[in-house]
Amino acid sequence: MTAPDAFDAGWSEWPAPAKLNLFLHVVGRRADGYHLLQTVFQLLDRGDTVRLRLRTDGEIRRVDPMPGVAAGQDLAVRAAHALKAASGTNLGADIAIDKRIPLGGGLGGGSSDAASALVGLDALWGCGFGEDRLATLGLALGADVPVFVHGRSAWAEGVGERLAAIALPPRWFVVVDPGVSVPTAELFRAPELTRDAAHLTIPLFLSGAATVNVFEPIVREREAAVASALDWLAGHGPARLSGTGGCVFVAMESREAAETVVRECPQGMRAWVARGVAESPLRARRRDWDAEAG
């Protein structure tokens, strides 16, 4: 069901939160070459904002194209086309994104934008697909999209699409962007990548079993700015690379402690405070939309 007066409401806003990988193990490889992973996705309260506006002419248009990103590579636009094709709707949409998540930072920006486009357009177009069907559409766009569609921090396996609920303690994080965009595909091709990391279970992880991000030593060796960020942040706790990107993070006991660290951020890096959340702001936004739509 389309929300009342949706055609006259102009732009609607849909949060696109960032994520952290609290660890990232490659535990094997499928026959088709895809790597098998284990990770924990910690969703954050900070990220991009996807803005959507209905069109009655069926066109899908990105009104603020990302510099250096071709339209065919824009995940939010691809998500809109995928939902339009799957639903058969005659409606279209204008898409704009307020970007805060660094490109190539390992924080899931593109995947989160795609998920927010799917969830928001499902609401605006009245498709009624539900989370599971939207997540299936999202998986074809990227392995990280489903966790953002479901909107809950999660344990993940397979290529990242097999999700299980996990109860994470409430925490604050300092996230540091050293200004490096890391190409994911190159890391997966790296001959030095550990492809037989320890296979964990949720109870083992929650009990404090040793974990790593297997991509961290590769990125550290190749990107001096990332190595510097890790070294500086390690003075405040166990610093870690997020995903396969350039951003690094550390968990803190309080917002105040995190803000203190951010104020000490060296020149040439950008740091901010984010809160880990069990439920994403996108999921809460969709729930509010559905309640208003009746």
Side-chain angles (χ1 to χ4, degrees), residues 68-138:
V69 179
Q73 297 176 322
D74 187 317
L75 284 181
V77 173
R78 289 174 58 197
H81 281 290
L83 181 59
K84 181 176 173 66
S87 66
T89 183
N90 293 320
L91 296 171
D94 288 330
I95 302 172
I97 301 177
D98 298 328
K99 284 297 294 180
R100 301 179 192 90
I101 304 174
L103 293 175
L107 304 180
S111 295
S112 189
D113 294 344
S116 295
L118 287 171
V119 171
L121 289 173
D122 179 68
L124 284 167
W125 290 343
C127 301
F129 270 28
E131 281 182 14
D132 289 342
R133 195 170 176 190
L134 291 175
T136 299
L137 281 178

Side-chain angles (χ1 to χ4, degrees), residues 9 21 51 63-64 66 86 93 104 108 129 176 184 218 232 237 239 267 282 284:
N21 295 89
R51 297 190 297 128
V63 301
D64 59 344
M66 285 288 296
F129 270 28
V176 177
T184 296
I218 303 171
W232 171 70
Q267 263 192 325
L282 174 63

Side-chain angles (χ1 to χ4, degrees), residues 27-277:
V27 297
R29 204 168 186 176
R30 298 192 319 199
D32 60 7
Y34 279 93
H35 291 77
L36 299 172
L37 312 175
Q38 284 191 315
T39 191
V40 168
F41 289 115
Q42 169 70 77
L43 300 183
L44 302 178
D45 66 346
R46 178 186 172 115
D48 298 340
T49 300
V50 174
R51 297 190 297 128
L52 303 170
R53 182 171 59 188
L54 281 173
R55 296 177 65 98
T56 57
D57 60 4
E59 293 293 317
I60 293 171
R61 185 170 62 104
R62 176 76 187 261
V63 301
D64 59 344
M66 285 288 296
V69 179
Q73 297 176 322
D74 187 317
L75 284 181
V77 173
R78 289 174 58 197
H81 281 290
L83 181 59
K84 181 176 173 66
S87 66
T89 183
N90 293 320
L91 296 171
D94 288 330
I95 302 172
I97 301 177
D98 298 328
K99 284 297 294 180
R100 301 179 192 90
I101 304 174
L103 293 175
L107 304 180
S111 295
S112 189
D113 294 344
S116 295
L118 287 171
V119 171
L121 289 173
D122 179 68
L124 284 167
W125 290 343
C127 301
F129 270 28
E131 281 182 14
D132 289 342
R133 195 170 176 190
L134 291 175
T136 299
L137 281 178
L139 181 59
L141 301 169
D144 289 354
V145 178
V147 73
F148 291 113
V149 169
H150 287 295
R152 294 189 183 278
S153 293
W155 174 274
E157 298 191 70
V159 296
E161 86 290 3
R162 286 165 40 203
L163 303 173
I166 186 169
L168 299 172
R171 280 187 292 189
W172 293 89
F173 295 90
V174 174
V175 184
V176 177
D177 175 17
V180 173
S181 179
V182 178
T184 296
E186 289 185 13
L187 296 185
F188 276 102
R189 289 194 296 265
E192 65 269 38
L193 175 64
T194 298
R195 295 179 170 86
D196 59 351
H199 196 283
L200 296 181
T201 62
I202 293 176
L204 277 174
F205 170 76
L206 293 176
S207 69
T211 62
V212 297
N213 181 334
V214 295
F215 295 96
E216 185 175 310
I218 303 171
V219 178
R220 175 186 276 278
E221 179 66 25
R222 297 183 180 188
E223 303 287 351
V226 176
S228 296
L230 284 165
D231 290 342
W232 171 70
L233 203 55
H236 301 281
R240 181 158 287 182
L241 186 80
S242 181
T244 57
C247 290
V248 303
F249 67 93
V250 67
M252 307 299 294
E253 292 186 359
S254 67
R255 179 174 187 165
E256 292 72 23
E259 289 173 341
T260 297
V261 174
V262 167
R263 286 194 292 270
E264 299 171 2
C265 182
Q267 263 192 325
M269 304 180 194
R270 187 168 65 96
W272 62 90
V273 175
R275 181 170 58 93
V277 294

